[in-house]
Amino acid sequence: MTEERVFREGLEGVVAAQTHLSHVDGLKGELLIAGYPVEELAQHAGYEEVAYLLWHGALPDESQLSDFRRRLATRRALPEATLELIRIAAERKVAPMDALRMAAGTLDLDGQPDPREQAADVVARFPTIVAAYARLRSGRQPLQPDPELGHAANYLYMLHGAAPSPAQTRALESYLNTVVDHGLNASTFTARIIISTDSDIVSAIVGAIGALKGPRHGGAPGPALDMVFEIGEPQNAEPYLRAKLQRGERLMGFGHRVYKVRDPRAEVLSAAAARLYEQNEQIDGDQTLYELARHVEEQAVRLLAEFKPGRNLQTNVEFYTALLLHGLGLSTDLFSPTFAIGRAPGWIAHCFEQQRHGRLIRPTSEYVGERGRQWIALERR
Ligand code: ACO
């Protein structure tokens, strides 16, 4: 009996792992993180609580949470070699996402063999790397992390040099919690493949950053906001978007492999961005920008239905990510590295899960090339 082999381009619909970590229902527009609706965690949880939940399977009690917070807070400082590399990257003006990928690769230089310790180092140090890079490339010195601040607040502090307001911290925590995990997305799958070979956490994370960087995954929020800025005024939205679609270009922040309705994360982040913008205490954003973005979204969804009927192209997580992070004073090229900061605990939780249960991930390919060719000596070709 021959084994049935089915080829699915892009592995669409193929189940390649069982997970307790998150569940995406693309038709209902639902996302569960370790059993909790994303809306609950986004609103109520701190970043450390969600990371703990993914790594331990249950929310921490008070003493577990304060131990976990301390564990991360005491590891934030960067090793000298990592800082040196960041300085060189900043001198050469490499893209921040590439700087993060390079710097992440140095996080096991101390030869720490315990995967749990490597995991804590990665999560604790990602914000320090991104903030140090952001400051160095604009000619400022990196700031030392503040162990009294939580993970999200300390990131904003290290970027801007001032402790954020509670509303700003809440907005960032909502964002980080919203993107912490999302089924078998491309970067998570990459991490699971790497760890399935018995490789190490740092290697898996470096690979995941590489996968996240592309505009069809985590590289879209910067271009999504650039598009809103280029549009500038509500009356320009329709002609601008129509022209883009007529040229065959993709609208960044729209469409998703799994969601055929509005991405629930877009809902959560649009509400979080609205709250932040209303407070009007953000560094660089205002209510007009928020209203313009809503108008652009409306027009984009309408035009996508006209140009790509039957494709159900809706707003994805990246559109409101852009607006929210802009409201927190981040430049567009820091959006993807900040996504990586949020997703890191999810990648690591998948690595742990893969290590516990998984076999080597090794699918097969269907050969569609030529057969029966005969060797031709070099001088006769
Ligand atoms: N704008 C215009 N057309 C689009 C868009 C878009 N944003 N998204 C998909 N399409 C079209 C494609 O051109 C294609 O049309 P065709 O069949 O006429 O050629 C059709 O819809 C299906 O597209 P695929 O690429 O096959 O769909 P896939 O499931 O692979 O794409 C993806 C998902 C990559 C997210 C896509 O929608 C896209 O490129 N969006 C823009 C980039 C973006 O927002 N990325 C962030 C994704 S969210 C995340 O990963 C965190």
Side-chain angles (χ1 to χ4, degrees), residues 334-355:
L334 294 183
F335 293 174
S336 297
T338 305
F339 190 170
I341 290 172
R343 184 56 59 87
W347 286 333
I348 288 165
H350 276 271
C351 288
F352 291 155
E353 197 173 59
Q354 183 69 35
Q355 283 175 324

Side-chain angles (χ1 to χ4, degrees), residues 41-86:
L41 295 183
Q43 266 194 49
H44 303 297
Y47 174 93
E48 290 91 339
E49 281 175 291
V50 177
Y52 186 100
L53 168 68
L54 287 179
W55 292 4
H56 298 272
L59 287 170
D61 64 23
E62 265 181 50
S63 90
Q64 289 164 330
L65 181 58
S66 78
D67 285 353
F68 189 64
R69 278 203 179 120
R70 198 169 327 109
R71 184 159 167 240
L72 292 183
T74 52
R75 308 175 99 95
R76 287 178 187 149
L78 298 179
E80 195 41 51
T82 306
L83 206 48
E84 194 49 39
L85 187 140
I86 297 173

Side-chain angles (χ1 to χ4, degrees), residues 215-217 220 245 249-257 304 308 311 313 316-318 339:
R216 292 192 185 194
H217 190 11
L245 289 168
E249 291 174 26
R250 290 182 182 225
L251 306 183
M252 294 295 123
F254 298 90
H256 199 273
R257 171 62 62 81
L304 284 167
K308 301 282 174 186
R311 296 287 190 194
L313 299 171
N316 66 41
V317 64
E318 304 288 43
F339 190 170

Side-chain angles (χ1 to χ4, degrees), residues 284-296:
D284 183 17
D286 59 38
Q287 195 63 27
T288 323
L289 180 67
Y290 182 78
E291 278 154 21
L292 173 64
R294 293 237 42 144
H295 179 72
V296 170

Side-chain angles (χ1 to χ4, degrees), residues 47-48 72-73 75-78 82-83 86 96 99-100 103-104 107 119-136 142-146 149-160 172 176 205 209 330 334 336-345 347-348:
Y47 174 93
E48 290 91 339
L72 292 183
R75 308 175 99 95
R76 287 178 187 149
L78 298 179
T82 306
L83 206 48
I86 297 173
L100 175 63
L107 291 180
D121 282 346
V122 165
V123 165
R125 291 175 182 170
F126 263 27
T128 323
I129 292 173
V130 179
Y133 182 78
R135 292 183 72 85
L136 282 167
L143 294 173
Q144 287 303 318
D146 180 346
L149 295 174
H151 194 79
N154 176 61
Y155 177 44
L156 290 175
Y157 162 71
M158 287 188 300
L159 278 172
H160 300 314
L172 183 61
L176 298 173
I205 295 309
I209 296 172
L330 274 67
L334 294 183
S336 297
T338 305
F339 190 170
I341 290 172
R343 184 56 59 87
W347 286 333
I348 288 165

Side-chain angles (χ1 to χ4, degrees), residues 227-229 231-237 287-298 319:
M227 183 174 81
V228 176
F229 284 142
I231 288 172
E233 300 289 335
Q235 68 272 19
N236 301 338
Q287 195 63 27
T288 323
L289 180 67
Y290 182 78
E291 278 154 21
L292 173 64
R294 293 237 42 144
H295 179 72
V296 170
E297 179 192 15
E298 237 174 75
F319 193 73

